[in-house]
Amino acid sequence: MSKWINMLLDLIRQAVAARSERDPIAGKTTRRSAPPTRPVERGVRVEYTPEIDGEADPGEVVWAWVPFEEDPNRGKDRPVVVIGRTNTPQGARLAGVALTSKNKGRDDHVPVGTGDWDPKHRDSWAKVDRLLLLDDDDVRREGAVLARNRFDDVVGNAARYHDLVRA
């Protein structure tokens, strides 16, 4: 009897864990063999050149798959503020910082307000301690243009953690 109870409890725990990984906007956690989004080493050219034209540009909030810090092969679609470009051996790539709707009161979380990147228009914070490298093909959609003053706040705070060069 206790064997069945333990099996049932294990199933319940698994269901609760799976449910906690779901986000109604970003979707379900997924696993990838090689994450398309990677940390940026250094040398990001910062620019503010948003243009709503279907292509991701610095100054825009876009949606892309962002790996979890604790396991880079797992992640979710998240809004990302594109802050610039960097050159890699594979060519030019976009650099950005992920947004979160959870205010953890951390120094590395910079408030950016609300915008069309979030269908619920929740307040968002840029996680400036982690700079991401994005391929154009990995960007799912444009969300909105981030106001210049908010963009400058994000870049100024990201510069405390990363090697950024103003274009």
Side-chain angles (χ1 to χ4, degrees):
M1 179 78 168
S2 67
K3 177 182 171 185
W4 292 106
I5 291 173
N6 287 336
M7 286 176 53
L8 181 61
L9 289 174
D10 284 343
L11 284 173
I12 291 171
R13 283 189 203 105
Q14 290 173 4
V16 168
R19 184 167 174 82
S20 68
E21 290 183 348
R22 290 183 188 264
D23 182 302
I25 295 170
K28 184 180 176 187
T29 298
T30 59
R31 180 176 293 279
R32 297 194 177 183
S33 58
T37 308
R38 298 166 298 285
V40 174
E41 295 297 322
R42 59 192 185 101
V44 173
R45 291 182 323 278
V46 174
E47 55 188 75
Y48 184 79
T49 55
E51 185 178 336
I52 300 297
D53 58 0
E55 301 291 324
D57 301 301
E60 295 175 4
V61 178
V62 299
W63 281 77
W65 189 85
V66 175
F68 294 141
E69 292 180 56
E70 55 281 352
D71 181 356
N73 291 326
R74 294 181 55 194
K76 289 185 177 183
D77 274 355
R78 294 281 183 215
V80 176
V81 178
V82 179
I83 66 168
R85 301 180 190 280
T86 189
N87 289 321
T88 70
Q90 295 78 30
R93 299 290 186 263
L94 300 168
V97 297
L99 294 182
T100 180
S101 60
K102 295 175 176 65
N103 180 8
K104 296 186 179 176
R106 296 171 39 166
D107 289 342
D108 57 357
H109 286 193
V110 178
V112 296
T114 63
D116 289 338
W117 60 83
D118 184 335
K120 294 183 179 178
H121 290 278
R122 297 174 290 188
D123 283 329
S124 296
W125 288 262
K127 299 165 70 173
V128 296
D129 63 324
R130 189 170 176 225
L131 199 54
L132 302 169
L133 187 63
L134 305 166
D135 294 333
D136 284 327
D137 294 339
D138 293 325
V139 173
R140 306 283 186 272
R141 66 181 190 268
E142 291 176 299
V145 172
L146 189 64
R148 180 63 190 246
N149 63 327
R150 298 289 190 174
F151 178 84
D152 289 339
D153 285 346
V154 169
V155 169
N157 282 279
R160 296 184 309 165
Y161 299 91
H162 310 286
D163 179 21
L164 304 179
V165 178
R166 288 278 185 173

